Amino acid sequence: MNISLLDVVGPVMIGPSSSHTAGAAKLAKTARLIYDKPFKKVSFGLGGSFASTYRGHFTDFALVAGALGMSEDDENLGHSFEIANEKGVEFDFYPTEIPSVYENTARITFYGEDGEFFVEGASLGGGRILVTNINGLVCELTATSPTVIVQQQDVKGVVSDVSTILAFNNINIGVMKVSRTSRGDKAFCVIECDDIIPENVIDELRQVNNVLSVVVVNIKGE
Amino acid sequence: MYKNAEELLAICSEQNKRIWEVALDNEVKLTGMSRERVMQHFSIRLEIMFNSALKALEHRQATKGGLIDGVANCQYEYSKGESITGGYINYVMALAYSCSEVNASMGKICASPTAGSCGIVPAVLLGVMENKRVSREKTLEALITASAVGAIFTKNATVAGADGGCQAECGVAASMAAAAAAYMMGASDDKCLDAAGFAMINVMGLVCDPVAGLVALPCAQRNASGAVNALISADMALAGQVAHIPFDQVVDSMFKVGKMLPPQLKETAMGGIATTPAGQAIFKEIFG
C-alpha cells in the first residue's frame, strides 16, 4: 500500500475545504518560504476553480494567512486580514489564467524592497500542493521535505559539486531531478533532502562555480 | 505488501495480526517514521477529532452563509429527551454535526477522508467509545483500522467529491467508521470489512450537490446520517449478515458509479438540491 494512512486521516486543518482552504494556505506559505524577505504588498492571481469559488471556501483568508507564514492548521487563519492590516501588509486578489493541468491555481507576487518576485502553483486536493514556477524558473516542487533548487550553467561538474557540499554537511538527498533548457545552456536541479538546510550550506552552494542561483525551501515533512 | 482488502486480509491471517497492525507496519515502511512517531500522530489526530466533535454541542458556531449555525446544539438538546431512535443515536448525530459546524466556521478539524466528511469517523469513534466503554487505546486501533479502509478506497477508487460524488466522501467516511465500530465491538477482521462494505452499499451513488457551493448543506446532514449509517452497518456485520459482494468489488463498483455520475452531480453545485428553487434562493442571498 503506497497510500499513507496519515494522508487518509488528515490533514489536520482549518476548514472548510482541504483543496480550497488548507491547500491555499500551504501554497502561500511555501511561496513565503521561497521568497523569505520582508515585503510591503502581496498580490494573488487566482486561476481555475480558485477564481470562481474562492469566497465560499475562505481561500482568500487562507492565502493571506499563508503569505504571512501561518500554517494550514493555525486557528488564527480566519483573522489573517486583520493581522495583515496590523502588520501593514497590503494584499489584493485578481482573476487570471495560469496555464496548468490543475484545477486550482494561484500566482503569488511579493512586492519587496528589491522589486517583484512571484511563485506559481496549484492545490491538488487533500491539502497537497505543487509549486510550478518560481520567478520564471519552471519546476515541480511538492514541498513535503526540505528542498534545494539550484540554477546553473549546464557544464560538467556542477551537480557533483553541489551534491558533495550536501554530503559533507551530512544532508541526505532523497530525490534529485536535473533538467536543462538545452545543452550548454541553463540547467537546474531540484533536490529533496531529508534534513533542514542550514544558512552556511546555502552560502557554500551559492559560491560553487557556474551556479547562478540557489533557492531553499526549508519545509518540514511530518 | 498489499494493495487491496483481499491481500490485506491474507497478510493478517499469514502473520496472525489485526488489520491495524498490518497497516501500521506498512505505514512505518512507507514513511520511514518510527512506530511510536506514527502512533503519536494518530493520537494527536484522535484528540483533534474529539475536540471538533464536542466543540459545537453547546456552543453555536458562526459558519459562512450561516446555513448550519447551531445544528449540533439542536440535535444535542434533542438527544437528552424522548426520541424515536434514542439518546445514543441522536448524540452520535450531534457529534457529527459538530464537526461539520466547526469545519464550516474555520475551526480546526482532521479531514477523514475529506474536510467535507470530517464528522463521521470522529462521531462514531467517540460515540462508541463512550457508550460501550471502550478504552482509548482500542479506539486508537479502531482509527487506524478506519484509515486502512480509507487507504484502500484512495488507492483503488477515489475520495474526492469532484471525482466520485458524495459516496466518495461521506460514503467512504461511513465505510471507514463502520469498520472501526465493528472492531471496537470485537468483530473479526473480515467482519470489519463486511461492515465497511455494507456502509458503502447503503449509499452507493450518493451525489455531491452543495447548496451555494458551500461545505454546509447538505454536507452537515450527510455527516450526521453517515455516522448512523456506519453504526447500523457495523451492527449488520456483527449480526452475521452475509456480505455476498467482496469488499474490493464494492470499492471497484463505487469508483465506476462515480465515473458514470454526470459532472453536474459532482461538487459543481449544478444539480441535486443545489439547483432547487430554494437552493438557488440561498445562493442569491449569500453571494448576491
Side-chain angles (χ1 to χ4, degrees), chain B residues 171-245:
Chain B
V172 169
S175 190
M176 292 163 64
Y183 176 79
M184 290 166 90
M185 295 301 288
S188 62
D189 288 327
D190 52 344
K191 291 282 176 213
C192 289
L193 290 175
D194 286 353
F198 291 145
M200 176 50 72
I201 290 168
N202 285 343
V203 293
M204 191 169 288
L206 190 64
V207 304
C208 178
D209 49 354
V211 170
L214 298 174
V215 189
L217 189 70
C219 319
Q221 182 185 325
R222 290 204 183 125
N223 272 267
S225 67
V228 178
N229 175 20
L231 294 178
I232 60 167
S233 298
D235 262 340
M236 287 176 190
L238 289 161
Q241 298 294 346
V242 179
H244 293 283
I245 315 296

Side-chain angles (χ1 to χ4, degrees), chain B residues 66-237:
Chain B
L67 293 172
I68 58 168
D69 295 12
V71 287
N73 181 251
C74 173
Q75 206 68 37
Y76 178 59
E77 289 302 325
Y78 177 73
S79 75
K80 295 172 182 173
E82 185 66 22
S83 64
I84 295 171
T85 51
Y88 173 43
I89 293 289
N90 279 283
Y91 176 65
V92 170
M93 283 200 273
L95 294 174
Y97 265 133
S98 174
C99 298
S100 294
E101 204 175 323
V102 168
N103 182 53
S105 60
M106 296 198 85
K108 192 188 272 196
I109 56 99
C110 180
S112 50
T114 63
S117 59
C118 71
I120 296 170
V121 172
V124 169
L125 289 177
L126 185 56
V128 175
M129 180 177 131
E130 284 181 349
N131 194 265
K132 305 295 173 195
R133 298 180 193 285
V134 178
S135 69
R136 192 180 187 279
E137 198 187 342
K138 188 153 192 180
T139 308
L140 207 53
E141 294 166 9
L143 173 58
I144 301 172
T145 306
S147 313
V149 169
I152 292 169
F153 277 109
T154 307
K155 175 142 186 80
N156 302 312
T158 174
V159 297
D163 291 328
C166 191
Q167 57 163 4
E169 298 208 20
C170 288
V172 169
S175 190
M176 292 163 64
Y183 176 79
M184 290 166 90
M185 295 301 288
S188 62
D189 288 327
D190 52 344
K191 291 282 176 213
C192 289
L193 290 175
D194 286 353
F198 291 145
M200 176 50 72
I201 290 168
N202 285 343
V203 293
M204 191 169 288
L206 190 64
V207 304
C208 178
D209 49 354
V211 170
L214 298 174
V215 189
L217 189 70
C219 319
Q221 182 185 325
R222 290 204 183 125
N223 272 267
S225 67
V228 178
N229 175 20
L231 294 178
I232 60 167
S233 298
D235 262 340
M236 287 176 190

Side-chain angles (χ1 to χ4, degrees), chain A residues 1-18 21 55-58 61 73 75 77-78 222, chain B residues 2-3 23 26-27 30 33 41-42 45 48-49 64 103 106-109 111 113 115 147-148 150-151 155 213-214:
Chain A
M1 180 57 67
N2 58 357
I3 307 287
S4 167
L5 300 178
L6 294 170
D7 285 339
V8 176
V9 175
V12 172
M13 53 169 275
I14 302 301
S17 163
S18 60
T21 321
R55 284 185 304 175
H57 293 113
F58 302 105
F61 287 90
D73 65 344
E75 291 192 272
L77 200 140
E222 272 201 276
Chain B
Y2 63 96
K3 61 179 184 299
N26 186 74
E27 187 73 7
L30 183 67
M33 280 190 263
H41 276 298
F42 271 110
R45 278 159 162 74
I48 289 161
M49 285 181 164
K64 174 86 184 175
N103 182 53
M106 296 198 85
K108 192 188 272 196
I109 56 99
S147 313
K155 175 142 186 80
L214 298 174

Side-chain angles (χ1 to χ4, degrees), chain A residues 14-82:
Chain A
I14 302 301
S17 163
S18 60
S19 58
H20 286 66
T21 321
K26 195 171 173 188
L27 183 61
K29 189 188 174 187
T30 304
R32 172 84 188 88
L33 282 170
I34 293 170
Y35 181 54
D36 201 26
K37 281 178 196 156
F39 59 95
K40 282 274 167 214
K41 186 186 163 190
V42 55
S43 278
F44 302 97
L46 306 176
S49 157
F50 267 176
S52 52
T53 62
Y54 76 94
R55 284 185 304 175
H57 293 113
F58 302 105
T59 306
D60 43 1
F61 287 90
L63 286 169
V64 171
L68 294 174
M70 289 156 73
S71 298
E72 67 267 26
D73 65 344
D74 191 319
E75 291 192 272
N76 277 320
L77 200 140
H79 304 292
S80 63
F81 284 13
E82 298 148 56

